[in-house]
Amino acid sequence: MLLHPALLLSLLLAPAPDSGLALQAVVQTNFEYLSSSRTTNAEFWIVSLDRTYEKRGNQVRRVVQFAPPAETKADFHTLGFDYEPNFRLVKIEDTTSTRTVLGRTCRLTTAWATADYAEAHLRFWLCPQSDEREAKLNAAVARAVSGRFSNLEQETVKLLESRHGQIVLEASSDIEPPIAPLMKLTARVLSLDAKAIEGNLTLPPEGDRDAR
Protein backbone atom coordinates (compact mmCIF):
# COMPACT_ATOMS: atom_id res chain seq x y z
CA MET A 1 0.00 0.00 0.00
CA LEU A 2 1.39 3.40 -1.03
CA LEU A 3 1.16 6.29 1.43
CA HIS A 4 0.22 9.79 0.40
CA PRO A 5 3.46 11.91 0.23
CA ALA A 6 2.14 14.42 2.82
CA LEU A 7 1.25 11.62 5.27
CA LEU A 8 4.59 9.87 4.71
CA LEU A 9 6.47 13.11 5.42
CA SER A 10 4.46 13.75 8.62
CA LEU A 11 5.23 10.21 9.82
CA LEU A 12 8.94 10.65 9.17
CA LEU A 13 9.06 14.01 10.94
CA ALA A 14 6.85 13.06 13.87
CA PRO A 15 8.71 12.80 17.20
CA ALA A 16 8.85 9.38 18.80
CA PRO A 17 6.96 9.08 22.11
CA ASP A 18 10.27 8.70 23.99
CA SER A 19 11.99 11.64 22.25
CA GLY A 20 11.62 13.91 25.30
CA LEU A 21 9.17 16.18 23.48
CA ALA A 22 5.51 16.61 24.42
CA LEU A 23 2.66 17.41 22.06
CA GLN A 24 1.23 20.87 22.70
CA ALA A 25 -2.25 21.58 21.34
CA VAL A 26 -4.64 24.50 21.53
CA VAL A 27 -8.35 23.63 21.25
CA GLN A 28 -10.87 26.40 20.65
CA THR A 29 -14.52 25.87 21.64
CA ASN A 30 -17.43 28.06 20.55
CA PHE A 31 -20.81 27.79 22.29
CA GLU A 32 -23.96 29.37 20.85
CA TYR A 33 -27.21 29.53 22.81
CA LEU A 34 -30.13 31.79 21.98
CA SER A 35 -28.54 35.09 20.93
CA SER A 36 -25.31 34.66 22.91
CA SER A 37 -21.97 33.21 21.84
CA ARG A 38 -18.93 32.34 23.94
CA THR A 39 -15.47 31.31 22.70
CA THR A 40 -12.79 29.76 24.93
CA ASN A 41 -9.34 28.31 24.31
CA ALA A 42 -7.77 25.40 26.19
CA GLU A 43 -4.12 24.37 25.98
CA PHE A 44 -3.19 20.69 26.31
CA TRP A 45 0.21 19.06 26.79
CA ILE A 46 0.35 15.34 25.96
CA VAL A 47 3.48 13.91 27.53
CA SER A 48 2.68 10.23 27.00
CA LEU A 49 -0.31 7.96 26.40
CA ASP A 50 -1.14 8.05 30.12
CA ARG A 51 -0.14 11.64 30.95
CA THR A 52 -2.05 14.63 29.59
CA TYR A 53 -2.15 18.09 31.18
CA GLU A 54 -4.46 21.04 30.62
CA LYS A 55 -3.09 24.56 31.05
CA ARG A 56 -5.36 27.57 31.58
CA GLY A 57 -3.43 30.71 32.39
CA ASN A 58 -0.95 29.80 35.12
CA GLN A 59 -2.96 26.79 36.28
CA VAL A 60 -1.87 23.31 35.14
CA ARG A 61 -4.00 20.23 35.86
CA ARG A 62 -3.59 16.61 34.92
CA VAL A 63 -6.49 15.28 32.85
CA VAL A 64 -7.80 11.93 34.07
CA GLN A 65 -9.47 9.33 31.88
CA PHE A 66 -13.14 9.86 31.17
CA ALA A 67 -15.41 7.78 33.41
CA PRO A 68 -19.18 7.73 33.03
CA PRO A 69 -21.13 8.81 36.11
CA ALA A 70 -22.44 6.09 38.37
CA GLU A 71 -26.08 5.24 37.85
CA THR A 72 -28.40 6.36 40.62
CA LYS A 73 -31.93 5.28 41.38
CA ALA A 74 -34.59 7.76 40.34
CA ASP A 75 -36.15 9.65 43.19
CA PHE A 76 -39.66 10.96 42.58
CA HIS A 77 -39.07 14.09 44.65
CA THR A 78 -35.92 15.30 42.86
CA LEU A 79 -36.06 13.72 39.38
CA GLY A 80 -37.33 16.89 37.72
CA PHE A 81 -34.46 19.02 39.01
CA ASP A 82 -31.48 17.02 37.74
CA TYR A 83 -32.92 15.01 34.85
CA GLU A 84 -30.41 14.32 32.08
CA PRO A 85 -31.50 12.74 28.78
CA ASN A 86 -29.99 9.33 28.11
CA PHE A 87 -28.47 9.92 24.67
CA ARG A 88 -27.64 6.95 22.44
CA LEU A 89 -26.08 7.02 18.98
CA VAL A 90 -28.60 5.69 16.47
CA LYS A 91 -26.83 6.41 13.16
CA ILE A 92 -23.19 6.87 12.12
CA GLU A 93 -22.10 7.72 8.58
CA ASP A 94 -18.54 7.90 7.22
CA THR A 95 -18.85 10.27 4.26
CA THR A 96 -16.58 11.05 1.32
CA SER A 97 -16.46 14.78 2.14
CA THR A 98 -12.98 16.11 2.88
CA ARG A 99 -11.53 19.27 4.38
CA THR A 100 -7.99 20.46 5.04
CA VAL A 101 -7.31 21.23 8.71
CA LEU A 102 -3.80 22.14 9.92
CA GLY A 103 -2.45 21.05 6.55
CA ARG A 104 -3.99 17.57 6.84
CA THR A 105 -6.76 16.06 4.77
CA CYS A 106 -9.67 15.16 7.05
CA ARG A 107 -12.75 13.12 6.19
CA LEU A 108 -16.19 13.84 7.60
CA THR A 109 -18.02 11.39 9.89
CA THR A 110 -21.53 12.30 11.03
CA ALA A 111 -23.57 10.86 13.88
CA TRP A 112 -27.09 11.22 15.26
CA ALA A 113 -28.04 10.64 18.88
CA THR A 114 -31.51 10.52 20.39
CA ALA A 115 -33.01 10.49 23.87
CA ASP A 116 -36.43 11.08 25.41
CA TYR A 117 -37.48 14.54 24.14
CA ALA A 118 -33.94 15.34 22.96
CA GLU A 119 -31.65 14.77 19.99
CA ALA A 120 -28.19 15.70 18.75
CA HIS A 121 -26.44 15.86 15.38
CA LEU A 122 -22.64 15.63 15.49
CA ARG A 123 -19.97 16.11 12.82
CA PHE A 124 -16.31 15.04 13.10
CA TRP A 125 -13.44 15.81 10.71
CA LEU A 126 -10.98 12.92 11.15
CA CYS A 127 -7.53 12.34 9.72
CA PRO A 128 -4.75 9.75 10.24
CA GLN A 129 -2.53 10.24 13.28
CA SER A 130 1.13 11.10 12.79
CA ASP A 131 1.87 10.31 16.48
CA GLU A 132 -0.11 7.82 18.57
CA ARG A 133 -0.34 10.36 21.41
CA GLU A 134 -2.52 12.59 19.24
CA ALA A 135 -5.49 10.29 19.93
CA LYS A 136 -5.62 11.66 23.49
CA LEU A 137 -7.02 14.90 22.05
CA ASN A 138 -10.16 13.09 20.92
CA ALA A 139 -11.52 13.01 24.48
CA ALA A 140 -11.06 16.78 24.83
CA VAL A 141 -12.92 17.44 21.58
CA ALA A 142 -15.69 14.98 22.57
CA ARG A 143 -16.22 16.83 25.84
CA ALA A 144 -16.27 20.20 24.06
CA VAL A 145 -19.08 19.28 21.65
CA SER A 146 -21.19 17.29 24.15
CA GLY A 147 -22.34 20.30 26.12
CA ARG A 148 -23.15 19.39 29.71
CA PHE A 149 -24.51 15.93 28.81
CA SER A 150 -22.16 13.29 30.24
CA ASN A 151 -23.74 10.30 28.50
CA LEU A 152 -23.55 12.08 25.12
CA GLU A 153 -19.87 12.63 25.88
CA GLN A 154 -19.51 8.92 26.69
CA GLU A 155 -21.17 7.92 23.40
CA THR A 156 -18.93 10.35 21.50
CA VAL A 157 -15.77 9.03 23.16
CA LYS A 158 -16.73 5.44 22.24
CA LEU A 159 -17.31 6.49 18.62
CA LEU A 160 -13.93 8.20 18.34
CA GLU A 161 -12.14 5.29 20.06
CA SER A 162 -13.59 2.98 17.41
CA ARG A 163 -11.78 5.03 14.72
CA HIS A 164 -8.37 3.50 15.40
CA GLY A 165 -5.40 5.56 14.26
CA GLN A 166 -7.58 8.65 13.67
CA ILE A 167 -7.56 12.08 15.28
CA VAL A 168 -10.44 14.58 15.15
CA LEU A 169 -9.16 18.08 14.36
CA GLU A 170 -12.56 19.77 14.08
CA ALA A 171 -16.02 18.87 15.32
CA SER A 172 -19.43 20.45 15.78
CA SER A 173 -22.79 19.58 17.26
CA ASP A 174 -26.39 20.76 17.26
CA ILE A 175 -28.08 19.65 20.48
CA GLU A 176 -31.79 20.02 21.20
CA PRO A 177 -32.25 19.46 24.96
CA PRO A 178 -35.65 18.62 26.47
CA ILE A 179 -37.85 21.73 26.59
CA ALA A 180 -34.95 24.08 25.86
CA PRO A 181 -33.59 26.03 22.87
CA LEU A 182 -31.06 24.63 20.41
CA MET A 183 -27.40 24.56 21.49
CA LYS A 184 -24.61 24.82 18.89
CA LEU A 185 -21.04 23.87 19.76
CA THR A 186 -17.86 23.85 17.67
CA ALA A 187 -14.39 22.65 18.63
CA ARG A 188 -11.25 23.20 16.54
CA VAL A 189 -7.65 22.22 17.10
CA LEU A 190 -5.89 25.51 16.32
CA SER A 191 -2.35 24.20 16.70
CA LEU A 192 -0.58 20.91 17.33
CA ASP A 193 3.19 20.94 17.78
CA ALA A 194 5.99 18.98 19.42
CA LYS A 195 7.65 21.08 22.12
CA ALA A 196 10.04 20.60 25.01
CA ILE A 197 8.38 20.64 28.43
CA GLU A 198 11.31 22.36 30.09
CA GLY A 199 10.88 26.11 29.95
CA ASN A 200 7.30 25.85 28.69
CA LEU A 201 5.37 23.94 31.33
CA THR A 202 5.65 23.39 35.08
CA LEU A 203 4.09 20.04 35.90
CA PRO A 204 2.05 19.74 39.11
CA PRO A 205 2.88 17.04 41.69
CA GLU A 206 1.31 13.67 40.93
CA GLY A 207 -2.28 13.57 42.14
CA ASP A 208 -2.51 17.35 42.54
CA ARG A 209 -5.50 19.17 40.99
CA ASP A 210 -6.55 16.32 38.69
CA ALA A 211 -9.47 17.18 36.46
CA ARG A 212 -11.60 15.54 33.80
Side-chain angles (χ1 to χ4, degrees):
M1 179 181 68
L2 296 178
L3 295 176
H4 188 279
L7 175 59
L8 177 60
L9 180 61
S10 66
L11 291 172
L12 292 174
L13 296 179
D18 60 354
S19 64
L21 298 176
L23 295 180
Q24 187 252 14
V26 176
V27 179
Q28 182 181 83
T29 302
N30 181 258
F31 173 67
E32 296 180 27
Y33 186 74
L34 294 175
S35 59
S36 65
S37 177
R38 183 177 71 249
T39 299
T40 58
N41 288 352
E43 179 181 345
F44 295 92
W45 287 78
I46 308 170
V47 178
S48 62
L49 291 176
D50 61 354
R51 283 202 298 158
T52 300
Y53 297 88
E54 180 181 0
K55 182 180 180 182
R56 290 181 183 265
N58 294 323
Q59 186 180 78
V60 178
R61 302 186 297 180
R62 184 169 180 174
V63 180
V64 298
Q65 183 66 34
F66 171 82
E71 292 189 8
T72 57
K73 292 183 178 180
D75 179 84
F76 176 78
H77 301 287
T78 59
L79 182 61
F81 296 99
D82 57 5
Y83 168 73
E84 181 174 319
N86 188 25
F87 282 103
R88 289 292 180 266
L89 293 182
V90 294
K91 182 180 179 181
I92 300 170
E93 181 181 355
D94 296 314
T95 76
T96 58
S97 299
T98 60
R99 175 183 294 180
T100 300
V101 184
L102 292 181
R104 304 192 200 184
T105 300
C106 299
R107 193 175 299 275
L108 175 65
T109 291
T110 60
W112 287 261
T114 61
D116 290 337
Y117 313 108
E119 62 181 18
H121 180 207
L122 305 105
R123 295 163 291 273
F124 306 97
W125 294 93
L126 294 148
C127 71
Q129 300 170 17
S130 62
D131 184 313
E132 62 179 350
R133 294 174 296 176
E134 291 180 348
K136 304 303 290 184
L137 271 180
N138 289 345
V141 173
R143 183 181 178 98
V145 297
S146 298
R148 57 181 176 83
F149 303 110
S150 58
N151 54 40
L152 181 58
E153 178 183 352
Q154 181 185 4
E155 290 284 286
T156 303
V157 167
K158 289 193 295 185
L159 168 60
L160 296 177
E161 286 179 345
S162 71
R163 274 31 184 185
H164 302 293
Q166 302 280 306
I167 176 178
V168 56
L169 293 179
E170 187 173 322
S172 61
S173 64
D174 298 332
I175 304 174
E176 295 189 35
I179 320 175
L182 177 70
M183 302 165 55
K184 289 178 172 287
L185 299 107
T186 303
R188 298 182 179 89
V189 179
L190 299 183
S191 63
L192 181 58
D193 304 291
K195 292 186 178 181
I197 296 176
E198 186 175 354
N200 291 309
L201 185 71
T202 301
L203 299 180
E206 287 299 310
D208 185 37
R209 299 191 66 82
D210 282 3
R212 183 174 68 78

